[in-house]
Amino acid sequence: MSKTWRPATQLVHGGTLRSQYGETSEAIYLTQGFVYDTSEAAEARFKGETDGFIYARYGSPTNDMFEKRMCALEGAEDARATASGMAAVTAAILCQLKAGDHIVAARALFGSCRWVVETLAPKYGIDCTLVDGRDLANWEKAITPKTKVFFLESPTNPTLEVIDIAGVARLANQIGAKVVVDNVFATPLFQKPLELGAHIVVYSATKHIDGQGRCLGGVVLSDKAWIDENLHDYFRHTGPAMSPFNAWTLLKGIETLPLRVKQQTQNAAKIADFLVEQGKVAKVIYPGRKDHPQADIIAKQMSGGSTLVCFELKGGKEAAFALQNALEIVKISNNLGDSKSLITHPATTTHKNLTEEARAELGISAGTVRLSAGIEDTDDLIEDFAKALAKVSA
């Protein structure tokens, strides 16, 4: 594979392994194990003296293709595909920590991500401090002699806050800590955390990478030395491996990622502009608009907007439910990044387990709604919102 290939070409051809049959589409290797020509060959492979696969929990040809294609897109040296996005997040954080260590995390996180750092990690003696990640001074103040990991997502779920990844990375490097970035909302097409100084990137491949509502998946990407030292044994022995069938499905999805994300982003931007003009909408947050609170950081670290729009209805939960229930094309779901437009009420779904005070800190009100724009016709989507808003009480 040529390193000069652009993303759209890498995502069709990168990392492809062909069998002796010369198939066009990647093969699915649905096998648990592998055989060896001799006992000596098995011994050599287990010693790491020869290349090859050992057991599907460790890796398989189909998973390997997906990992290599993601590395090509992300600019990473190595990767491990996991069964889900949360498996990727949990592995990336816990594999490098021990009792007594300390995590600094942005408080604006997906509910399950926040549970991992705020509830799960302390059960194993790992402390956590949550900060308002928009201000670098908050990250610096939270540092202790035990701080080993900084964790953030940018843009954040669901309020689309943007964090200065390069700034956080500079602080981490000063103390020898590692920065883990959940890059789902930006997609690897619009933001490159490793180029900005982050050390580890995680994705829920369930979202844009599949993007068609078919399967779960996740991936952790970093330099080979970090994966060999930290993730390799954790991955082998705790078993968060991706199914080869899911890896094959994701390989098919990733081929069309640039086409889908381009249309989704165009739709999201136009819907955001439409919503700004609506009297029943109190606030619209979209990374592609100049009125975004962190527009200056977006200009530095993102090459595009997002497929997500966050907005707040003046009528609170009643108005949010009325809007969602009145939409015809846009479907109610807690998922995102799909080719179908999806809408979510975070306070009663993805972030319902947070206290009301915690939601308020994050800017999630009873009227907050998250839209994941799909690939449908833009005018149809805007008409759908116009008709639905007309049914919302003023």
Side-chain angles (χ1 to χ4, degrees), residues 85-97 103-106 108-109 113 116-117 139 148-154 163 165 168-169 172-173 177-184 191 193-194 197-203 219-222 226 230-231:
M86 283 314 305
V89 168
T90 306
I93 292 172
L94 294 186
C95 77
Q96 57 183 320
L97 296 173
I103 304 167
V104 181
L109 295 171
C113 291
V116 168
V117 297
W139 294 90
K148 301 298 181 185
V149 168
F150 289 171
F151 177 52
L152 61 97
E153 56 187 49
S154 182
I163 295 172
I165 296 172
V168 174
N173 289 335
K178 298 297 185 183
V179 177
V180 180
V181 176
D182 181 338
N183 201 42
V184 167
Q191 185 168 265
L194 297 179
H199 306 94
I200 302 105
V201 181
V202 295
Y203 288 99
V219 62
V220 183
L221 303 106
S222 186
W226 181 87
N230 296 279
L231 184 59

Side-chain angles (χ1 to χ4, degrees), residues 29-34 54-57 59:
Y29 291 90
L30 289 176
T31 181
Q32 299 158 326
F34 302 85
I54 295 174
Y55 191 53
R57 177 157 52 86

Side-chain angles (χ1 to χ4, degrees), residues 10 69-76 183 187-189 191-195 201 203 221:
Q10 290 175 338
R69 200 165 290 180
M70 284 300 302
C71 283
L73 176 60
E74 193 67 39
N183 201 42
T187 81
L189 297 171
Q191 185 168 265
K192 303 288 189 183
L194 297 179
E195 293 180 4
V201 181
Y203 288 99
L221 303 106

Side-chain angles (χ1 to χ4, degrees), residues 16-346:
T16 300
L17 299 171
R18 286 192 171 88
S19 74
Q20 68 271 32
Y21 301 110
E23 61 277 351
T24 301
S25 179
E26 298 82 1
I28 310 175
Y29 291 90
L30 289 176
T31 181
Q32 299 158 326
F34 302 85
V35 298
Y36 314 95
D37 292 337
T38 65
S39 299
E40 289 79 8
E43 181 183 33
R45 195 171 297 180
F46 270 78
K47 283 183 175 180
E49 296 173 351
T50 59
D51 292 332
F53 298 101
I54 295 174
Y55 191 53
R57 177 157 52 86
Y58 307 164
S60 77
T62 312
N63 293 40
D64 187 62
M65 283 188 275
F66 173 66
E67 291 165 354
K68 283 184 167 57
R69 200 165 290 180
M70 284 300 302
C71 283
L73 176 60
E74 193 67 39
E77 290 181 356
D78 205 358
R80 292 292 183 273
T82 60
S84 69
M86 283 314 305
V89 168
T90 306
I93 292 172
L94 294 186
C95 77
Q96 57 183 320
L97 296 173
K98 64 182 184 306
D101 288 343
H102 177 239
I103 304 167
V104 181
R107 68 188 185 188
L109 295 171
F110 172 58
S112 293
C113 291
R114 185 155 166 165
W115 183 86
V116 168
V117 297
E118 191 177 28
T119 303
L120 179 64
K123 291 183 178 181
Y124 298 98
I126 301 165
D127 293 327
C128 173
T129 301
L130 295 173
V131 300
D132 182 344
R134 295 170 293 183
D135 188 343
L136 288 177
N138 294 333
W139 294 90
E140 189 168 16
K141 290 175 186 175
I143 292 172
T144 76
K146 299 288 189 178
T147 302
K148 301 298 181 185
V149 168
F150 289 171
F151 177 52
L152 61 97
E153 56 187 49
S154 182
T156 62
N157 183 0
T159 54
L160 300 174
E161 295 176 1
V162 173
I163 295 172
D164 184 351
I165 296 172
V168 174
R170 284 193 296 271
L171 292 174
N173 289 335
Q174 290 172 12
I175 62 169
K178 298 297 185 183
V179 177
V180 180
V181 176
D182 181 338
N183 201 42
V184 167
F185 272 37
T187 81
L189 297 171
F190 290 156
Q191 185 168 265
K192 303 288 189 183
L194 297 179
E195 293 180 4
L196 294 166
H199 306 94
I200 302 105
V201 181
V202 295
Y203 288 99
S204 171
T206 311
K207 310 304 189 292
H208 302 91
I209 293 168
D210 173 42
Q212 291 159 84
R214 299 173 298 187
C215 70
L216 298 175
V219 62
V220 183
L221 303 106
S222 186
D223 61 81
K224 191 175 186 306
W226 181 87
I227 285 183
D228 285 348
E229 182 179 346
N230 296 279
L231 184 59
H232 181 73
D233 285 342
Y234 177 100
F235 186 86
R236 285 171 65 107
H237 299 303
T238 63
M242 177 184 286
S243 158
F245 183 82
N246 285 18
W248 180 84
T249 305
L250 292 166
L251 280 165
K252 295 293 94 186
I254 206 172
E255 290 180 353
T256 60
L257 178 66
L259 301 174
R260 288 182 285 105
V261 168
K262 179 180 179 180
Q263 182 64 33
Q264 289 169 314
T265 303
Q266 289 176 355
N267 282 345
K270 291 183 179 180
I271 292 169
D273 290 343
F274 167 80
L275 291 171
V276 165
E277 303 297 326
Q278 307 308 305
K280 296 173 184 177
V281 177
K283 179 173 61 176
V284 176
I285 305 172
Y286 181 67
R289 287 182 56 86
K290 292 181 180 179
D291 58 3
H292 189 285
Q294 290 91 44
D296 55 336
I297 299 174
I298 292 168
K300 290 191 298 183
Q301 72 183 33
M302 294 179 68
S303 61
S306 177
T307 66
L308 284 297
V309 181
C310 179
F311 60 100
E312 181 180 349
L313 291 161
K314 292 179 180 179
K317 176 182 174 180
E318 182 179 352
F321 275 29
L323 172 73
Q324 293 189 161
N325 292 342
L327 289 164
E328 294 183 5
I329 298 171
V330 183
K331 305 305 180 187
I332 300 170
S333 175
N334 55 293
N335 199 18
L336 61 95
D338 199 277
S339 57
K340 299 176 180 66
S341 291
L342 305 174
I343 198 161
T344 305
H345 186 249

